[in-house]
Amino acid sequence: MANLATLFTVLLSLLCYSQTGFALVQWPGGTSTRFYDFKVQTMRVTKLCNTKEIVTINGMFPGPVVYAQEDDRVIVKVTNETPYNTTIHWHGIRQRLSCWSDGPSYITQCPIQAGQTFTYEFTIVKQKGTLLWHAHVSWLRGTVYGAIVVYPKTGVPYPFKYPYEEHIIILGEYWLQDLVQLERQVLASGGGPPPANAFTINGHPGPNYNCSKNDVYKIDVVPGKTYLLRVINAGLNMENFFAIAHHKLTIVEVDAEYTKPFTTDRVMLGPGQTINVLVTTDQPIGKYSMAMGAYMSAKGVQFQNISAIAYFQYLGAVPSSIALPAQLPSFNDNLAVKTVMDGLRSLNPVNVPKEIDTNLFYTIGLNVQKCRSKTPKNNCQATNNGVMAASMNNISFIKPNISLLEAYYKKINGYYTEDFPDVPLKFYDFVNGAPNNIPNDTQALNGTRTKVLEYGTRVQLILQDTGIVSTENHPIHLHGYSFYVVGYGTGNYDPQTADFNLVDPPYMNTIGVPVGGWAAIRFVADNPGVWFMHCHLEIHLSWGLSMVFIVKNGHGELETLPHPPADLPQC
């Protein structure tokens, strides 16, 4: 038996260097400790007729897969061998009593500076499924990302037919420019970002782009089998549709939580979202396209409109044959997005908080600030010589220059306030009557404001899109928690007419708030720490579309934030 256990551990450590997922015959023993060694390194890559250096983990793009099992302890030593500040966020891991290891820069830690090392430690408590890890400093996560695959405990089956094989599909965006410089340039300009030079599937753009005919990802499949695809959106600034030509996708998990099976022709994922789908190879032998295309709900925004293509190739197909094209929705097909969201239900009835202690109402959206620069042509390139910004409750978040968690824990004053408002400072027709006399009435306040929650608070939060500048679907991510999406709709939220599902709503960590609409989420604040909530479109985060919850310690056992680790980076 001991030799068998050793074999499983070795197998798992080898798997972390695999680029694609596949079926494991048996899961390794539970409540183990998984060790990973992440070296942040630059490497030269050639794509789109261009050779450049990108930042990676262990010289891999995408980075290594973190494999684990429900309730495992994971220890990742991160050594920064680049000149860039770095942190790693374990997106969707709920970090029970391990807020110090959550990873967002200047929120739970100072960055890992050049030549420094920091060890992340966390236990994957009552979680299983597909998540992702990514850098959480500037725009580095454009290349610094990878999958997290958490298997159920030994002997616990999937709640669906065991797949013939599993594969990881990571959707990404690729820029020819250096991403750290690009972020600086965009913010200095006051205007919007350029579109990505390409979309990628597992790092490959596919044949629609220059010099990319052979830079294509491919899955070889056997006819008559069922495959599990773990689809992850690791893109920076775009939401994306994904489809496979002539094949149905059956959703069985979203954000690492099982759902009732729901069959569709395509899915839409915002950055940070994960969806597991079953695909049955029931079509004639051939080569089929897997396509990733743009979903752009905002008006007047430039975006990449060429699809990334990968191949879903049947055994026996002629390799040189033309791949059958996948049908993606049009880039602004809001109904296609709603149709998928409508189909998401938790697998079983769930324990949704029915009584609410704290009701919150947060508006989300863009702003244009007045130009304060002496060189407006260079620095005020938004509409009417304004400067782009973004906000929640019309407060644009300013990141501090130390870790907020450290400031909170050590009671260091002066770096943040505890007065983030429960409701907007001003009410108006958020969707159709938003102020748009740019930049005179489209400005936001600035601040590092937080909302403090007592331990155990049952929270309902309404997220309301606004029409300042443009309505848009915003993928909002909450660190440290998953939440029940109990309702959503178009227009302004109206408690009299809102239809809530309190029986089997999906349990998610990132919710696409509908364009010109709202979403209602509920969670219990039972994990002490400092938790970031933000739009996962990176440009919106850079512009300030974020806020912070501080959840206080409880009084019972395992309700207190532990002391900081000894190797916590210093600013």
Side-chain angles (χ1 to χ4, degrees):
M1 269 313 276
N3 289 342
L4 195 62
T6 306
L7 178 63
F8 279 139
T9 305
V10 171
L11 250 177
L12 203 76
S13 64
L14 287 172
L15 286 176
C16 75
Y17 294 103
S18 164
Q19 284 297 309
T20 60
F22 41 81
L24 289 177
V25 178
Q26 184 180 350
W27 295 305
T31 57
S32 305
T33 301
R34 309 287 174 208
F35 294 93
Y36 288 86
D37 192 10
F38 275 23
K39 288 186 167 47
V40 189
Q41 301 169 330
T42 56
M43 74 179 235
R44 291 185 76 73
V45 295
T46 300
K47 286 189 187 300
L48 311 175
C49 324
N50 184 282
T51 299
K52 62 171 281 197
E53 287 208 335
I54 63 170
V55 181
T56 64
I57 299 296
N58 299 347
M60 298 169 65
F61 175 62
V65 182
V66 171
Y67 287 100
Q69 189 175 8
E70 183 178 359
D71 291 339
D72 277 354
R73 185 110 180 118
V74 175
I75 298 176
V76 187
K77 180 183 176 186
V78 177
T79 305
N80 187 3
E81 298 178 356
T82 75
Y84 305 107
N85 283 348
T86 304
T87 67
I88 302 293
H89 169 53
W90 316 93
H91 184 113
I93 297 290
R94 293 198 274 269
Q95 298 291 359
R96 295 289 300 175
L97 301 180
S98 54
C99 188
W100 300 104
S101 284
D102 189 40
S105 58
Y106 303 107
I107 306 296
T108 62
Q109 68 169 98
C110 299
I112 307 166
Q113 296 174 39
Q116 290 186 347
T117 294
F118 177 54
T119 301
Y120 293 91
E121 293 191 41
F122 50 88
T123 301
I124 305 174
V125 181
K126 294 182 181 174
Q127 288 188 266
K128 53 191 174 288
T130 306
L131 295 167
L132 71 153
W133 57 263
H134 60 76
H136 216 304
V137 171
S138 69
W139 288 9
L140 278 185
R141 73 172 182 85
T143 57
V144 181
Y145 60 78
I148 302 173
V149 175
V150 184
Y151 288 103
K153 292 179 181 178
T154 307
V156 177
Y158 292 138
F160 45 82
K161 183 186 172 188
Y162 198 85
Y164 178 71
E165 275 184 4
E166 301 179 19
H167 291 269
I168 294 167
I169 302 286
I170 307 185
L171 312 180
E173 291 176 275
Y174 190 82
W175 271 267
L176 293 175
Q177 283 174 271
D178 176 282
L179 286 170
V180 175
Q181 290 178 5
L182 179 62
E183 185 200 26
R184 286 186 191 135
Q185 288 168 10
V186 171
L187 293 181
S189 77
N197 295 100
F199 294 133
T200 59
I201 297 175
N202 286 349
H204 302 278
N208 289 345
Y209 295 98
N210 288 343
C211 305
S212 303
K213 184 181 173 185
N214 297 316
D215 197 353
V216 190
Y217 181 72
K218 178 173 68 112
I219 298 175
D220 291 307
V221 296
V222 177
K225 303 293 184 183
T226 296
Y227 290 78
L228 177 67
L229 303 186
R230 300 175 179 271
V231 187
I232 298 166
N233 192 336
L236 265 187
N237 290 329
M238 281 298 298
E239 299 180 295
N240 294 98
F241 289 111
F242 174 81
I244 303 178
H246 300 280
H247 288 76
K248 298 284 189 186
L249 310 175
T250 299
I251 299 169
V252 290
E253 177 195 303
V254 171
D255 283 1
E257 295 290 336
Y258 293 136
T259 62
K260 290 181 174 65
F262 174 68
T263 301
T264 178
D265 292 323
R266 89 293 276 182
V267 292
M268 194 287 285
L269 299 91
Q273 291 185 310
T274 61
I275 297 181
N276 281 11
V277 296
L278 296 175
V279 183
T280 300
T281 48
D282 54 4
Q283 296 299 303
I285 287 175
K287 186 158 78 171
Y288 297 87
S289 293
M290 295 188 284
M292 167 199 182
Y295 171 52
M296 173 50 74
S297 56
K299 291 182 173 66
V301 177
Q302 286 184 305
F303 62 93
Q304 175 58 261
N305 62 359
I306 299 173
S307 298
I309 299 294
Y311 297 142
F312 192 72
Q313 186 168 308
Y314 280 59
L315 194 69
V318 179
S320 60
S321 60
I322 294 173
L324 292 160
Q327 294 298 312
L328 290 173
S330 63
F331 72 88
N332 57 357
D333 191 340
N334 300 323
L335 184 60
V337 176
K338 181 182 183 299
T339 302
V340 172
M341 193 63 208
D342 287 347
L344 298 185
R345 296 279 186 274
S346 284
L347 180 63
N348 299 306
V350 288
N351 185 25
V352 185
K354 304 291 195 301
E355 294 180 10
I356 300 300
D357 303 307
T358 297
N359 275 289
L360 305 173
F361 186 103
Y362 292 176
T363 58
I364 53 178
L366 304 184
N367 301 86
V368 180
Q369 313 281 51
K370 286 185 178 177
C371 182
R372 311 278 181 212
S373 169
K374 292 176 181 174
T375 53
K377 279 189 178 176
N378 295 334
N379 310 118
C380 305
Q381 294 179 14
T383 304
N384 296 343
N385 294 326
V387 176
M388 291 301 302
S391 62
M392 286 188 168
N393 275 353
N394 216 44
I395 298 165
S396 193
F397 187 81
I398 304 296
K399 272 192 182 179
N401 55 11
I402 69 164
S403 154
L404 276 188
L405 178 59
E406 232 176 321
Y408 166 67
Y409 184 85
K410 295 178 178 176
K411 297 181 171 61
I412 305 171
N413 294 325
Y415 289 97
Y416 67 94
T417 58
E418 297 181 351
D419 58 349
F420 191 88
D422 292 356
V423 296
L425 304 173
K426 181 181 167 188
F427 275 80
Y428 53 91
D429 179 349
F430 297 114
V431 175
N432 301 306
N436 260 314
N437 181 15
I438 297 172
N440 300 310
D441 60 1
T442 58
Q443 299 180 80
L445 302 172
N446 293 331
T448 310
R449 300 203 197 183
T450 67
K451 169 66 182 173
V452 179
L453 297 169
E454 295 292 332
Y455 185 93
T457 300
R458 294 163 296 188
V459 178
Q460 176 173 288
L461 168 59
I462 308 298
L463 294 161
Q464 173 71 58
D465 187 28
T466 62
I468 300 176
V469 185
S470 174
T471 55
E472 185 171 0
N473 182 298
H474 293 275
I476 302 295
H477 172 50
L478 174 59
H479 289 230
Y481 291 87
S482 293
F483 44 75
Y484 294 107
V485 183
V486 296
Y488 51 90
T490 54
N492 297 316
Y493 171 72
D494 181 351
Q496 304 302 317
T497 58
D499 185 21
F500 280 9
N501 173 9
L502 301 179
V503 178
D504 59 355
Y507 196 43
M508 304 172 77
N509 64 60
T510 306
I511 174 63
V513 178
V515 52
W518 56 272
I521 67 173
R522 292 185 180 185
F523 64 96
V524 178
D526 58 0
N527 190 14
V530 171
W531 304 109
F532 207 20
M533 185 170 73
H534 61 91
C535 182
H536 221 280
L537 300 173
E538 207 66 18
I539 183 62
H540 293 180
L541 176 56
S542 300
W543 284 338
L545 210 169
S546 55
M547 59 79 64
V548 168
F549 286 111
I550 295 176
V551 178
K552 293 165 78 170
N553 289 333
H555 301 293
E557 194 181 2
L558 298 177
E559 293 181 0
T560 301
L561 179 70
H563 58 77
D567 63 341
L568 191 71
Q570 299 302 302
C571 288

